[in-house]
Amino acid sequence: MNSDSFEQKVIKAIKSIPKGQVATYGQIAAMTGSPRSARLVGSILRKNPDRLPWHRVANKKGEISIVNIEFPAELQKELLEKESVEIKKINNIISVDLDKYLWNP
DNA sequence: ATTCTGACATCCA
DNA sequence: ATGGATGCCAGAA
């Protein structure tokens, strides 16, 4: 499998998110050259459960879009707090303050 | 080959 | 402001 595949680029981009910061799906997609492929980023994260800092990826509202039962939003909350990222929980909806923690490459 | 689906992002009512 | 519809694009059926 060639290392230039969209999937590989996405994985690299996600791995490069600095500790203590958060990136959006669209941002990752844009970094890999396909600004319109935010949804594919999600699919890839879903396929690669381990080995990726998936907890540093949120949608543009700063919300967590976890669907995978193995990696629940609560776990993501813990992981982020461990990196000193402030978490807001409103109406059982976990989100991060993008104004403060969004990664600007 | 065609249709459906989705860890998103936008637009419109 | 909030929800529904639409666009994108690769993989699955």
Side-chain angles (χ1 to χ4, degrees), chain A residues 13-24 27-28 53-58 76 79-87 96-105:
Chain A
I14 292 178
K15 279 184 176 175
S16 69
I17 302 174
K19 187 180 179 185
Q21 298 205 290
V22 171
T24 68
Q27 200 171 31
I28 299 295
W54 54 274
H55 56 281
R56 301 192 198 138
V57 184
Q76 180 169 38
L79 289 171
L80 285 173
E81 290 182 328
K82 203 169 293 186
E83 298 183 357
S84 318
V85 173
E86 181 183 0
I87 301 299
V96 302
D97 190 338
L98 288 184
D99 289 331
K100 287 185 182 177
Y101 302 105
L102 180 60
W103 175 39
N104 5 40

Side-chain angles (χ1 to χ4, degrees), chain A residues 6-7 10 14 25 28-29 32 34 36-48:
Chain A
F6 180 72
E7 177 168 337
V10 167
I14 292 178
Y25 295 92
I28 299 295
T32 65
S34 299
R36 308 283 144 72
S37 300
R39 308 182 75 167
L40 299 185
V41 174
S43 313
I44 292 170
L45 272 179
R46 179 172 195 199
K47 277 182 52 182
N48 298 273

Side-chain angles (χ1 to χ4, degrees), chain A residues 9 15-16 22 30 39 43 48 58 60-61 67 72 74 77 89 93-96 104-105:
Chain A
K9 287 195 278 190
K15 279 184 176 175
S16 69
V22 171
R39 308 182 75 167
S43 313
N48 298 273
K60 208 153 193 199
K61 300 172 213 137
V67 166
E74 280 296 340
K77 178 175 180 295
K89 186 171 182 180
I93 300 197
I94 296 177
S95 64
V96 302
N104 5 40

